Amino acid sequence: MSKPVLSILLCLLFCSGLHSQNLSDLIISEAMPGCPGSITDDYGNNSDWIEIFNTSQGTVNFAGCFLTDDLSNLRKSQITKDDRSTKIGPRQVVLLYAAGNSALGTYYLNFTLPVGGTVYLVSNDGRTIIDSLKIPATLPEGMSISKFAHDNKELLFDDIHPSSPSPRSLNGRHEQKTKSQIMKETDPHGWILTLIAVSVVFSALLILFLIYNLSGNIFTGKYKRRPGHHKADDETAAAIAMALELASGDDAVPAAIAMALHLYSDDGAHDIEPGFITIQDKPSAWRNKNLMFRKTTRKI
Amino acid sequence: MEQVFDSLVQFWQFTGFANCTWQHLAMIAIGAVFITLGIVKEWEPMLLVPIGFGIIIGNIPMFPGLNIGVYEDGSVLNTLYQGVRQGWYPPLIFLGIGAMTDFSALISQPRLMLIGAAAQMGIFGAYLLALAFGFSPSEAGAIGIIGGADGPTAIFLSSKLAPDLMGAIAVCAYSYMALVPVIQKPIMLLLTTKKERLIEMPRPREVSQKEKIIFPIVGFLCTAFIVPSGLPLLGMLFFGNLLKESGVTRRLANTAGGPLIDVVTTLIGLTVGASTQADKFLTGNSLKIFALGLVSFIIATTCGVLFVKIWNLFLRPERKINPLIGNAGVSAVPDSARVSEVVGREVNPNNHLLMHAMAPNVAGVIGSAVAAGILLGFLG
């Protein structure tokens, strides 16, 4: 394998390793300092919590990833690699408790939320910061800081502001109408969809028809170009005929020669005509040079 | 003694006899009819026999909770049913269809492709009617696809758009596919004159290997770019055909078009049949679906034949198309093409329409996959 190809393959492997299992699709979607009345962890405490959201359409395993509130210590709290429940489904969330003690369980961190600071999600390589979320010092009690996606299809979390806490659910517009419901409102009788769909089906097959018609014409030789030198050959034939006529003074001989030359140049004398047996020069295994000769050894 | 009696009573309660209702018996009878039609009449036996037996399997009365039913998580039947539920089987069947189908007829006469588009009107006719019958748009889309006369596509789309109706839709699609000769022939005779049926079409040209290799690649790129939502079906169909035509992957093509499609067809037939349990199948909706399915087949056949008749008005006499191949625009391969051949030979025994009818027939496969992609894109 050539060096450039090997280099490209190695680069691809290296790049894919950087964001193994699409860890880059994870974001910190919401965080909230604990307060009386907020959600409780498995031990009944009102712990701080952080919500991680998988924006991709595939499952992402975030085992081995780190969370930290300190840029100088990116490996502060690691998600255990031994727990099989660390897979986040497509467009699903997982809740982590910033209880200050990671020994409490898989979903517990060894720090609490730094009000006025920033929480970082770090890849399992311990170096690459995947996402971060700043906790405002002015965050009202009982409110969380959330990232919102205005378009739940594109999921661009470009709006960050305090909101009512919504742990374990997608932030933003929660009730989205299905396509079927939208269609029922916009096209209750189905005529619009029918017209569009029929047009698309016809267009698709029409395009295929045009392409195959074109390719068929090419393959059957309909668009075969005449060689460019024919015009010159015709002119040459006419010139020879004129010269012969001048030399001999007879019309019949030069006309016959000109016709023969014209047919030869136009290949008209060599057509395959129906009803006539045409012997064609077809290659066969008997004449195949590759089979008749021994392969030469390759020089090294 | 009392304990023995109690045990016997308990055993009795577990038997099918104790749990049997008239609905179970009705469904078992339907399964028996399917098997009979498959074996005695030889109507699509590869489909009707597995489906028929599947219906019987799915309707054996039993005590719930034994973890053996098709709808009980983790049971064997449930595991096999996931291929239908999640839509794995239909693309695999399309792979096999691609590996078995010779598209030469279509490549040599690409103009006949448009008949395949016209026959898809059955899908949209049924969609409009289903909406009028009160079905939701996604349910109507799933019902409409029956008009494509393509079982795998019907299963694929209904598993995405209306999983609750999938059993009825699949059984309906396969039943009417088996009845293609019965449904299409009278419509073809009704809509054509004897003079039209006598039209002889020129013999299609021979297609080179290069063209056959280029066909699946270009065909896939064109259709997938237009309707990406049809990717699983279109991709597998054209991939299977490339395996066949490339000339260097014969073993793969033989496997895809042989053992693989046989296994998947067996499983899809059996599990679709088993999914038609009495309580889910014997409903008013199922009756409506069967009625709409029949109408969609009639619309598809009518549109295909009429399209050719109208088209003929603009064609030179030597280029005219026999309208008997219009029915083949539905993608019941090769049954509908066979109907064209049979009806054509009844009028003129020397007029062989099969090779011509195969062109719209395989175009119908592509057309119905494209239509399914559009419906999935709009309603999924």
Side-chain angles (χ1 to χ4, degrees):
Chain A
M1 202 179 287
S2 63
K3 279 184 181 175
V5 176
L6 268 175
S7 316
I8 291 167
L9 282 175
L10 283 171
C11 283
L12 286 172
L13 282 171
F14 180 69
C15 292
S16 61
L18 269 182
H19 297 293
S20 54
Q21 297 179 342
N22 299 319
L23 287 172
S24 58
D25 291 320
L26 298 179
I27 62 160
I28 302 174
S29 55
E30 194 173 353
M32 181 182 173
C35 66
S38 67
I39 64 163
T40 54
D41 61 20
D42 301 329
Y43 300 92
N45 302 319
N46 297 116
S47 300
D48 304 347
W49 53 266
I50 298 167
E51 185 187 75
I52 309 284
F53 179 67
N54 174 12
T55 59
S56 76
Q57 294 286 5
T59 300
V60 177
N61 188 353
F62 75 123
C65 287
F66 300 88
L67 279 115
T68 182
D69 59 349
D70 183 0
L71 268 179
S72 62
N73 181 13
L74 292 178
R75 299 177 177 231
K76 191 167 185 177
S77 186
Q78 188 177 24
I79 305 298
T80 179
K81 291 178 181 176
D82 304 327
D83 195 331
R84 288 186 180 182
S85 67
T86 48
K87 289 178 181 172
I88 311 177
R91 309 223 159 170
Q92 298 294 311
V93 293
V94 70
L95 211 62
L96 302 172
Y97 297 106
N101 182 6
S102 58
L104 292 173
T106 302
Y107 298 105
Y108 290 82
L109 307 174
N110 63 2
F111 61 89
T112 55
L113 279 187
V115 177
T118 305
V119 188
Y120 300 92
L121 174 64
V122 182
S123 181
N124 51 15
D125 61 6
R127 296 187 305 273
T128 314
I129 295 174
I130 300 169
D131 193 35
S132 63
L133 180 64
K134 185 173 170 55
I135 317 291
T138 55
L139 187 67
E141 192 176 307
M143 299 285 273
S144 66
I145 180 76
S146 308
K147 288 180 182 169
F148 287 91
H150 290 295
D151 182 351
N152 281 355
K153 196 176 175 186
E154 294 296 326
L155 281 185
L156 294 171
F157 287 86
D158 48 1
D159 187 12
I160 305 171
H161 59 78
S163 68
S164 297
S166 59
R168 296 193 183 94
S169 64
L170 179 61
N171 303 334
R173 281 191 298 145
H174 298 296
E175 288 181 10
Q176 265 221 322
K177 285 180 183 171
T178 61
K179 285 182 183 175
S180 181
Q181 287 169 326
I182 295 167
M183 196 55 75
K184 194 168 188 175
E185 288 173 9
T186 54
D187 183 22
H189 302 295
W191 289 106
I192 297 171
L193 173 66
T194 300
L195 281 174
I196 293 170
V198 169
S199 311
V200 173
V201 171
F202 264 97
S203 306
L205 290 177
L206 191 66
I207 290 168
L208 281 182
F209 157 63
L210 293 173
I211 290 171
Y212 293 126
N213 201 34
L214 180 73
S215 68
N217 286 340
I218 291 168
F219 277 101
T220 51
K222 265 193 182 174
Y223 293 155
K224 198 177 178 182
R225 278 191 178 179
R226 289 184 167 195
H229 58 81
H230 276 183
K231 197 181 172 188
D233 285 348
D234 289 348
E235 284 169 0
T236 312
I240 292 169
M242 281 174 73
L244 281 168
E245 190 180 349
L246 283 172
S248 65
D250 185 11
D251 287 352
V253 175
I257 294 171
M259 176 61 75
L261 282 167
H262 174 76
L263 286 173
Y264 179 76
S265 65
D266 207 27
D267 210 18
H270 300 89
D271 258 353
I272 300 167
E273 294 173 43
F276 290 87
I277 296 170
T278 308
I279 299 168
Q280 281 192 320
D281 188 24
K282 282 189 175 175
S284 74
W286 296 100
R287 300 176 47 203
N288 194 332
K289 286 181 182 174
N290 290 334
L291 295 175
M292 292 173 72
F293 294 106
R294 272 185 295 175
K295 283 181 183 173
T296 52
T297 50
R298 203 175 155 192
K299 287 179 184 175
I300 301 169
Chain B
M1 188 65 194
E2 194 177 332
Q3 198 173 356
V4 173
F5 184 73
D6 286 345
S7 299
L8 282 173
V9 169
Q10 197 178 1
F11 173 74
W12 170 254
Q13 285 170 349
F14 275 101
T15 62
F17 299 108
N19 295 291
C20 190
T21 62
W22 71 267
Q23 287 97 333
H24 288 113
L25 295 177
M27 288 305 295
I28 290 170
I30 291 171
V33 169
F34 272 54
I35 294 171
T36 309
L37 289 176
I39 295 172
V40 179
K41 294 276 184 184
E42 291 191 25
W43 286 350
E44 292 280 351
M46 307 279 189
L47 299 171
L48 289 191
V49 172
I51 291 177
F53 203 78
I55 291 173
I56 296 175
I57 288 178
N59 286 283
I60 296 297
M62 62 184 177
F63 196 79
L66 297 175
N67 207 28
I68 52 172
V70 74
Y71 292 111
E72 291 180 273
D73 284 346
S75 70
V76 175
L77 282 175
N78 182 264
T79 305
L80 296 176
Y81 184 55
Q82 291 309 308
V84 177
R85 195 82 177 76
Q86 308 286 341
W88 313 328
Y89 293 152
L92 289 176
I93 288 186
F94 262 62
L95 178 72
I97 292 172
M100 288 194 298
T101 307
D102 184 359
F103 283 92
S104 301
L106 186 65
I107 301 168
S108 62
Q109 307 175 90
R111 64 182 182 142
L112 301 182
M113 212 176 259
L114 297 177
I115 303 170
Q120 304 311 315
M121 288 300 291
I123 294 174
F124 304 108
Y127 171 73
L128 293 172
L129 284 172
L131 283 178
F133 270 55
F135 286 100
S136 72
S138 55
E139 289 172 338
I143 293 167
I145 203 69
I146 297 170
D150 195 333
T153 309
I155 290 172
F156 179 77
L157 195 66
S158 55
S159 70
K160 307 279 180 197
L161 295 183
D164 292 341
L165 303 179
M166 189 175 55
I169 288 170
V171 170
C172 177
Y174 279 119
S175 308
Y176 288 137
M177 279 167 67
L179 294 171
V180 153
V182 182
I183 298 169
Q184 288 196 322
K185 189 180 170 183
I187 300 166
M188 292 159 70
L189 293 175
L190 188 72
L191 295 175
T192 53
T193 62
K194 191 178 179 184
K195 191 183 168 190
E196 285 171 328
R197 279 176 242 149
L198 283 168
I199 293 174
E200 286 190 26
M201 296 168 68
R203 189 182 169 79
R205 69 174 174 86
E206 282 189 20
V207 177
S208 69
Q209 186 71 14
K210 272 185 194 168
E211 282 180 274
K212 288 182 181 177
I213 293 171
I214 290 170
F215 173 80
I217 299 166
V218 173
F220 171 66
L221 286 174
C222 285
T223 50
F225 268 80
I226 295 170
V227 194
S229 42
L231 201 62
L233 298 177
L234 292 166
M236 292 301 231
L237 177 75
F238 287 116
F239 173 56
N241 191 242
L242 183 63
L243 291 180
K244 176 180 183 286
E245 302 298 354
S246 69
V248 292
T249 51
R250 195 157 295 153
R251 274 175 52 198
L252 300 183
N254 288 342
T255 305
L260 179 67
I261 197 169
D262 288 349
V263 168
V264 179
T265 304
T266 308
L267 293 177
I268 205 170
L270 194 75
T271 49
V272 162
S275 70
T276 59
Q277 291 187 348
D279 56 332
K280 296 182 187 294
F281 192 79
L282 289 179
T283 61
N285 275 348
S286 296
L287 287 176
K288 285 182 193 171
I289 289 167
F290 268 79
L292 288 166
L294 180 62
V295 173
S296 70
F297 266 64
I298 292 170
I299 294 172
T301 309
T302 306
C303 286
V305 175
L306 288 180
F307 180 78
V308 177
K309 280 171 71 91
I310 294 166
W311 196 3
N312 272 343
L313 298 175
F314 305 98
L315 294 175
R316 292 196 303 271
E318 71 275 11
R319 301 255 305 159
K320 284 200 187 300
I321 301 165
N322 193 318
L324 289 180
I325 68 167
N327 73 301
V330 299
S331 58
V333 181
D335 293 0
S336 49
R338 217 180 283 152
V339 175
S340 305
E341 166 81 4
V342 170
V343 180
R345 287 185 67 187
E346 280 177 7
V347 190
N348 177 5
N350 296 320
N351 193 7
H352 294 280
L353 292 173
L354 185 66
M355 56 191 165
H356 301 290
M358 278 307 288
N361 210 184
V362 292
V365 177
I366 300 170
S368 61
V370 170
I374 298 165
L375 290 171
L376 191 60
F378 273 103
L379 306 169

